[in-house]
Amino acid sequence: MFGFIPFGLVLMVVAFIYFRAQNQRRRVLDSLSLPPTTKTLAFFHPYCNAGGGGERVLWVAVAYTQRTRPDILCVVYTGDIGATKESILEKAQSRFSITLDPSRLHFVFLTKRILVEDSTYPHLTLIGQSMGSVGLVLEALSYFMPHAYIDTMGYAFTLPVVRLFGIPAGAYVHYPTVSPPMISRVARPIKLAYYHAFMMLYALALRRAQVLMVNSTWTRKHVAAVLAYPPTLGWGVVRPRVVYPSCDTREMEKLPLESREQIILSIAQFRPEKDHAMQIRALHALLQAHPEYSKVELILIGGCRNEQDQARVDGLRQLAQDLGVQDRVTFRLNEPYPSMLAYLRRASVGLNTMLDEHFGINVVEFMAAGVIPIVHASGGPLEDIVVPFEGKNTGYHAKTPETFAEAIHAAFSLSPQEDRAMRQRARTWAVQQFSEAEFEAGWEASGWEKLLQ
Ligand SMILES: *[C@@H]1O[C@H](CO)[C@@H](O)[C@H](O)[C@H]1NC(C)=O
């Protein structure tokens, strides 16, 4: 007999949540004059107004949903309480040229974003932020319960919470919160135990995603390793699918492929991992082996954010001097966009020397601009970007100053027909592979629509 009391209580709570959710949904749909049967798809993106690559993915996905599924209302959970719906839409337009339909878009503003800010947790940041995201998604659900949910910012711990309320959930992952290679760098036993425990929880949370997309091959490898970490006990685990974010290459595609100069271009922030020194050494090696390239120029374009960056640039200038190639090297700091395009128009080849770069959007830009890419044989440039197209090369890979120099020489020695054909191939491939249409096709193929059934 007493068993009925807790049972009845649970039933009441469930009924309360259910009716409240119905009411809230109806109010929102009414305010937008949408039919009460409209399905709602929510995106969890607490920093939706940040204007970065992750936000571009969000808006392309929302725009695509709006275009192809007029029967759906997109809802975005955001913590940008200083912004308004109008200002967010304006920014999507000005920053990304993405037009969103305000009549089928609803924002839910969250006041507790501080729960996921890393500055909130000086210690145990991983656990802190993850638990914080649970709090934040509870706030989100208390304002609005959608029919389906997609996390587009990497808050995996929100997935089990959402599923607990019976809402189907998916995720688009840009970067794993933690992964086995990160753990292998941890030395202290206590910290190691913490990381292992955390990764176990992270994997269990991520497994609650019914649809799982990742932004690159690198991310897929790491996410797959995380998912395989705890034993699955025979449960099927959804496989992550690579859906590349689209790159905006419209301006670059327009540049003519012909009349290129002997310019070697580099576009990368002056950060140590970009390894600009390798580029200067490659130029030196090239001139040693082939003095005939006395007119060649290496142009280094890059953002220089602070004194450390400036010191690094000074060091690079010194290196050029020491190697006696200073006359052939030009630094262009914080170059405005139109001027960067002008260099992309003139350059023959483009360098990317970073080891294990996760992606390398600058390489996509080289290719779209018709600049032949010569990239480090690792990471995204090797696996995702500079790959054969129609059975032929779209650029070169190298690992040392000498092999970079050889690749530059090889590119400079192409016959006019081969030269033109390679530029065209690189452009066609990059523009198509990282286009919005390709992103949309991948998004579609992920099966997200089954979340709404
Ligand atoms: C994937 O996301 C990470 C983290 O934001 C970023 O560093 C990387 O460049 C992204 N990859 C692609 C293909 O955009």
Side-chain angles (χ1 to χ4, degrees):
M1 145 99 205
F2 289 110
F4 285 112
I5 295 175
F7 180 70
L9 265 178
V10 169
L11 213 62
M12 269 165 64
V13 170
V14 170
F16 172 76
I17 292 176
Y18 178 79
F19 285 111
R20 198 178 121 110
Q22 292 272 330
N23 265 327
Q24 285 168 333
R25 228 157 32 212
R26 185 145 4 96
R27 267 209 307 278
V28 168
L29 292 174
D30 280 351
S31 73
L32 291 163
S33 315
L34 293 170
T37 51
T38 307
K39 294 279 189 200
T40 57
L41 170 64
F43 294 85
F44 190 71
H45 207 108
Y47 295 85
C48 83
N49 212 21
E55 288 65 59
R56 192 188 161 84
V57 167
L58 168 70
W59 300 133
V60 173
V62 170
Y64 173 68
T65 312
Q66 292 195 321
R67 203 174 70 240
T68 55
R69 290 291 302 265
D71 56 323
I72 292 179
L73 169 68
C74 291
V75 175
V76 176
Y77 294 121
T78 175
D80 291 299
I81 40 179
T84 61
K85 177 171 177 176
E86 289 70 35
S87 73
I88 295 173
L89 295 195
E90 249 172 54
K91 185 154 173 187
Q93 180 72 57
S94 62
R95 175 79 178 76
F96 302 118
S97 318
I98 296 174
T99 311
L100 300 164
D101 174 2
S103 72
R104 277 182 300 116
L105 183 54
H106 177 65
F107 287 91
V108 174
F109 290 92
L110 310 176
T111 59
K112 304 197 168 57
R113 190 169 73 184
I114 188 166
L115 286 174
V116 295
E117 267 157 35
D118 44 9
S119 53
T120 311
Y121 311 96
H123 305 292
L124 301 181
T125 313
L126 286 177
I127 289 276
Q129 281 181 307
S130 300
M131 294 306 116
S133 71
V134 169
L136 194 61
V137 79
L138 284 173
E139 184 191 14
L141 295 176
S142 77
Y143 298 147
F144 190 91
M145 288 235 196
H147 294 97
Y149 171 97
I150 300 183
D151 159 49
T152 42
M153 268 201 85
Y155 292 109
F157 287 80
T158 63
L159 299 166
V161 179
V162 168
R163 293 288 306 279
L164 207 60
F165 286 93
I167 302 167
Y172 185 101
V173 181
H174 290 266
Y175 195 85
T177 310
V178 61
S179 68
M182 292 182 209
I183 295 195
S184 65
R185 288 197 290 270
V186 175
R188 290 217 335 265
I190 294 198
K191 214 166 168 201
L192 198 64
Y194 166 62
Y195 268 83
H196 275 290
F198 181 78
M199 192 160 76
M200 183 82 89
L201 293 175
Y202 178 53
L204 293 174
L206 208 51
R207 280 191 196 165
R208 303 305 290 151
Q210 292 152 296
V211 165
L212 191 53
M213 291 174 264
V214 292
N215 78 350
S216 64
T217 305
W218 185 91
T219 308
R220 184 183 58 198
K221 268 193 220 158
H222 289 78
V223 166
V226 168
L227 288 173
Y229 184 68
T232 60
L233 304 176
W235 288 5
V237 172
V238 63
R239 278 167 50 143
R241 158 185 285 276
V242 178
V243 181
Y244 295 111
S246 59
C247 305
D248 184 1
T249 53
R250 275 169 299 182
E251 292 301 317
M252 287 125 200
E253 283 164 56
K254 291 189 217 145
L255 305 175
L257 296 173
E258 290 80 14
S259 55
R260 298 282 171 156
E261 299 164 43
Q262 273 191 1
I263 292 179
I264 305 167
L265 192 60
S266 159
I267 302 179
Q269 286 206 340
F270 287 97
R271 287 194 264 128
E273 66 273 17
K274 301 291 183 187
D275 202 356
H276 288 89
M278 171 103 87
Q279 303 171 0
I280 295 171
R281 290 184 201 284
L283 175 71
H284 175 248
L286 177 72
L287 290 171
Q288 292 283 303
H290 302 279
E292 68 270 22
Y293 294 126
S294 57
K295 289 249 160 30
V296 71
E297 266 188 278
L298 170 61
I299 295 176
L300 306 168
I301 298 182
C304 180
R305 299 157 307 170
N306 49 35
E307 275 166 33
Q308 282 104 306
D309 287 1
Q310 186 57 53
R312 217 166 281 125
V313 171
D314 294 341
L316 292 167
R317 282 190 211 274
Q318 186 60 48
L319 175 68
Q321 198 125 75
D322 295 344
L323 295 173
V325 296
Q326 71 276 18
D327 298 341
R328 310 259 55 91
V329 181
T330 309
F331 290 86
R332 294 258 153 218
L333 308 184
N334 304 322
E335 199 69 357
Y337 188 72
S339 153
M340 188 183 85
L341 277 178
Y343 281 113
L344 283 167
R345 154 85 192 76
R346 292 168 55 203
S348 283
V349 301
L351 299 185
N352 176 303
T353 40
M354 180 172 162
L355 168 71
D356 288 334
E357 171 122 70
H358 300 161
F359 188 59
I361 192 152
N362 60 332
V363 180
V364 175
E365 291 174 344
F366 285 150
M367 294 167 88
V371 174
I372 295 177
I374 303 179
V375 298
H376 197 279
S378 67
L382 176 72
E383 291 176 89
D384 294 321
I385 312 177
V386 185
V387 298
F389 177 52
E390 294 174 341
K392 300 208 179 93
N393 290 348
T394 54
Y396 300 87
H397 304 122
K399 279 198 160 160
T400 60
E402 291 70 33
T403 49
F404 269 99
E406 275 165 33
I408 297 168
H409 174 59
F412 282 172
S413 317
L414 293 171
S415 74
Q417 293 85 335
E418 286 171 329
D419 178 276
R420 158 92 214 205
M422 189 183 283
R423 292 180 201 287
Q424 185 62 60
R425 222 167 25 242
R427 168 176 288 174
T428 308
W429 157 254
V431 166
Q432 153 192 324
Q433 179 71 355
F434 305 104
S435 64
E436 232 156 75
E438 197 63 25
F439 172 84
E440 292 170 354
W443 185 269
E444 197 55 48
S446 74
W448 70 275
E449 279 178 311
K450 72 173 182 253
L451 297 178
L452 275 173
Q453 278 156 14

Short mmCIF file of all heavy atoms in Angstrom, two decimals, residues 174-175 215-216 219 244-245 358-360, ligand 1:
data_model
loop_
_atom_site.label_atom_id
_atom_site.label_comp_id
_atom_site.label_asym_id
_atom_site.label_seq_id
_atom_site.Cartn_x
_atom_site.Cartn_y
_atom_site.Cartn_z
N HIS A 174 33.58 19.38 -31.99
CA HIS A 174 34.72 20.03 -32.63
C HIS A 174 36.03 19.50 -32.05
O HIS A 174 37.04 19.46 -32.72
CB HIS A 174 34.68 21.54 -32.40
CG HIS A 174 33.59 22.23 -33.14
ND1 HIS A 174 33.78 22.78 -34.38
CD2 HIS A 174 32.29 22.44 -32.84
CE1 HIS A 174 32.65 23.31 -34.79
NE2 HIS A 174 31.73 23.13 -33.87
N TYR A 175 35.95 19.16 -30.78
CA TYR A 175 37.19 18.85 -30.08
C TYR A 175 36.84 18.00 -28.87
O TYR A 175 35.96 18.36 -28.11
CB TYR A 175 37.83 20.17 -29.63
CG TYR A 175 39.26 20.05 -29.23
CD1 TYR A 175 40.26 20.10 -30.18
CD2 TYR A 175 39.60 19.88 -27.90
CE1 TYR A 175 41.59 19.97 -29.81
CE2 TYR A 175 40.92 19.76 -27.52
CZ TYR A 175 41.91 19.81 -28.48
OH TYR A 175 43.22 19.68 -28.11
N ASN A 215 34.18 17.18 -36.53
CA ASN A 215 34.54 18.16 -37.56
C ASN A 215 35.75 17.77 -38.40
O ASN A 215 36.07 18.48 -39.34
CB ASN A 215 34.69 19.56 -36.94
CG ASN A 215 36.01 19.76 -36.23
OD1 ASN A 215 36.77 18.82 -36.02
ND2 ASN A 215 36.29 21.00 -35.87
N SER A 216 36.43 16.66 -38.08
CA SER A 216 37.60 16.30 -38.90
C SER A 216 38.01 14.87 -38.61
O SER A 216 37.54 14.25 -37.64
CB SER A 216 38.78 17.22 -38.60
OG SER A 216 39.17 17.04 -37.26
N THR A 219 39.56 14.63 -35.11
CA THR A 219 38.58 14.57 -34.03
C THR A 219 37.89 13.21 -34.00
O THR A 219 37.62 12.66 -32.94
CB THR A 219 37.55 15.70 -34.19
OG1 THR A 219 38.25 16.93 -34.33
CG2 THR A 219 36.63 15.81 -33.00
N TYR A 244 32.72 17.98 -42.31
CA TYR A 244 33.62 19.12 -42.27
C TYR A 244 32.83 20.42 -42.20
O TYR A 244 31.85 20.58 -42.94
CB TYR A 244 34.48 19.18 -43.53
CG TYR A 244 35.43 18.02 -43.68
CD1 TYR A 244 35.23 17.08 -44.67
CD2 TYR A 244 36.51 17.88 -42.84
CE1 TYR A 244 36.10 16.02 -44.83
CE2 TYR A 244 37.39 16.82 -42.98
CZ TYR A 244 37.18 15.89 -43.98
OH TYR A 244 38.03 14.85 -44.12
N PRO A 245 33.27 21.36 -41.37
CA PRO A 245 32.64 22.68 -41.41
C PRO A 245 32.89 23.29 -42.78
O PRO A 245 33.91 23.00 -43.41
CB PRO A 245 33.40 23.47 -40.35
CG PRO A 245 34.24 22.52 -39.61
CD PRO A 245 34.40 21.30 -40.44
N HIS A 358 45.46 20.13 -36.46
CA HIS A 358 44.22 19.35 -36.50
C HIS A 358 43.50 19.53 -37.81
O HIS A 358 42.91 18.60 -38.33
CB HIS A 358 43.31 19.76 -35.35
CG HIS A 358 43.94 19.54 -34.02
ND1 HIS A 358 43.52 20.14 -32.88
CD2 HIS A 358 45.02 18.79 -33.67
CE1 HIS A 358 44.28 19.76 -31.86
NE2 HIS A 358 45.20 18.96 -32.33
N PHE A 359 43.51 20.73 -38.31
CA PHE A 359 42.88 20.92 -39.61
C PHE A 359 43.78 21.77 -40.49
O PHE A 359 44.69 21.24 -41.09
CB PHE A 359 41.48 21.53 -39.45
CG PHE A 359 40.73 21.56 -40.75
CD1 PHE A 359 40.49 20.38 -41.43
CD2 PHE A 359 40.30 22.75 -41.30
CE1 PHE A 359 39.83 20.38 -42.66
CE2 PHE A 359 39.64 22.77 -42.52
CZ PHE A 359 39.40 21.58 -43.18
N GLY A 360 43.58 23.05 -40.59
CA GLY A 360 44.44 23.90 -41.41
C GLY A 360 43.62 24.63 -42.46
O GLY A 360 43.73 24.38 -43.66
C1 LIG B 1 37.58 21.41 -35.33
O1 LIG B 1 37.46 22.16 -34.15
C2 LIG B 1 38.69 22.49 -33.52
C3 LIG B 1 38.37 23.19 -32.22
O2 LIG B 1 37.60 24.32 -32.44
C4 LIG B 1 39.54 23.34 -34.45
O3 LIG B 1 40.78 23.59 -33.85
C5 LIG B 1 39.70 22.65 -35.77
O4 LIG B 1 40.37 23.48 -36.66
C6 LIG B 1 38.34 22.27 -36.33
N1 LIG B 1 38.48 21.53 -37.56
C7 LIG B 1 37.90 21.93 -38.67
C8 LIG B 1 37.96 20.97 -39.80
O5 LIG B 1 37.36 23.02 -38.79
#
